[in-house]
Amino acid sequence: MNNPEGGAPFTNPGGPNSDNGQPQPQRRTSGQWDNLLQDERVRQAKQVSKQYWGFFLSALTRPYSTMKEVQAAQLLNSLITMGLTAILSALYFLTWFIKWDISPIIGPGFLRPLLLTAAGIAVGCGTTYAALRLEKVSFDLKLLIARFGTLLVPAVALLVLAILSLILSLYSFSVLLLILSFLFVFVSINTVAFQYPLNTSNRGIDTLYLIATANVATGYIFYKLVMSVLAGAAYGLFNSMSPFGL
């Protein structure tokens, strides 16, 4: 095709938006997607996901053995497990609120359980740290958290099963799975504490009372979690049934 202004003939008769039959916007989108896949942060996220999946399967099938072998460098995997435990716990209660059509759902049905579960895990880990410090035990804090989080992997699996059971209306079974998942927090406290050479002398506070205090403090947080959810559910049900609302 000749250039009407007398210049060189056009070499792209299809116009600027065509290149071998492929529109330019499509090529641009494809290029952006390739750049995204090649981004360093995306590659790191994929690598972390792959590493965590291997860690998760190992800790699920052999939790105690994996806990004994875990290193402080695997702290990130344990932190991810703690976060998943808190999120899945909140999703479980949120599912209850949705199935029973209880409102409001975000505050009492998700945010409060999320924060209280995270607080319970933090208290469990913190009281274990405090007990070991009082026992004058030398330990690595990162390794302590890594061990604690490793033992919570079965709790994550139980919470997933609890949510699925709740969706299938297996209410009693789902509650049982939820209770078992919370028990793993207490199992983690006691198992991790006894991995260290505790003081057996008669000086100071006896080890039994230190471990018991850690369990009671953590148990109180989870008690507040359950009571808070029940109170929010009761409020929502009463509000929905009241002709005046609240």
Side-chain angles (χ1 to χ4, degrees):
M1 178 177 180
N2 294 328
N3 190 333
E5 297 182 0
F10 288 129
T11 58
N12 186 12
N17 291 330
S18 175
D19 185 8
N20 296 328
Q22 184 180 19
Q24 189 174 6
Q26 183 178 349
R27 289 172 37 240
R28 186 183 300 114
T29 303
S30 177
Q32 290 174 348
W33 178 251
D34 292 338
N35 292 335
L36 179 63
L37 292 178
Q38 295 174 3
D39 187 80
E40 181 66 23
R41 289 170 295 183
V42 175
R43 289 202 301 267
Q44 289 177 353
K46 291 171 62 177
Q47 184 178 3
V48 169
S49 300
K50 184 177 180 180
Q51 291 177 350
Y52 180 76
W53 181 242
F55 163 81
F56 183 89
L57 291 179
S58 176
L60 183 61
T61 55
R62 300 181 304 113
Y64 184 79
S65 299
T66 305
M67 184 270 299
K68 294 284 289 183
E69 299 168 358
V70 77
Q71 302 295 324
Q74 294 176 286
L75 174 65
L76 178 60
N77 291 330
S78 294
L79 293 176
I80 293 174
T81 304
M82 293 178 182
L84 286 175
T85 303
I87 292 172
L88 289 171
S89 173
L91 287 176
Y92 175 84
F93 291 109
L94 180 64
T95 306
W96 265 106
F97 274 63
I98 293 174
K99 284 188 72 70
W100 287 86
D101 196 20
I102 302 172
S103 61
I105 63 173
I106 298 300
F110 182 78
L111 293 179
R112 202 173 298 165
L114 176 67
L115 295 176
L116 287 174
T117 304
I121 295 173
V123 168
C125 192
T127 51
T128 304
Y129 168 82
L132 293 176
R133 291 287 294 177
L134 290 173
E135 287 287 309
K136 302 186 185 313
V137 175
S138 177
F139 62 93
D140 183 357
L141 178 59
K142 291 183 178 180
L143 180 58
L144 171 69
I145 298 174
R147 286 176 168 177
F148 192 94
T150 300
L151 293 176
L152 290 180
V153 166
V156 172
L158 287 169
L159 285 169
V160 171
L161 293 176
I163 294 173
L164 293 177
S165 300
L166 185 56
I167 293 174
L168 297 174
S169 299
L170 302 174
Y171 300 115
S172 299
F173 186 60
S174 71
V175 171
L176 175 62
L177 292 175
L178 177 71
I179 294 172
L180 290 176
S181 68
F182 285 166
L183 284 178
F184 269 96
V185 178
F186 300 93
V187 170
S188 300
I189 293 173
N190 298 288
T191 304
V192 171
F194 285 108
Q195 295 305 306
Y196 298 92
L198 302 176
N199 180 19
T200 57
S201 66
N202 295 325
R203 297 177 297 174
I205 304 175
D206 188 82
T207 303
L208 175 65
Y209 296 124
L210 293 175
I211 301 298
T213 301
N215 284 271
V216 169
T218 306
Y220 176 75
I221 299 298
F222 282 97
Y223 165 78
K224 293 291 291 182
L225 165 63
V226 174
M227 295 306 296
S228 172
V229 171
L230 290 177
Y235 175 85
L237 287 174
F238 181 77
N239 187 30
S240 63
M241 291 185 298
S242 173
F244 304 103
L246 291 177

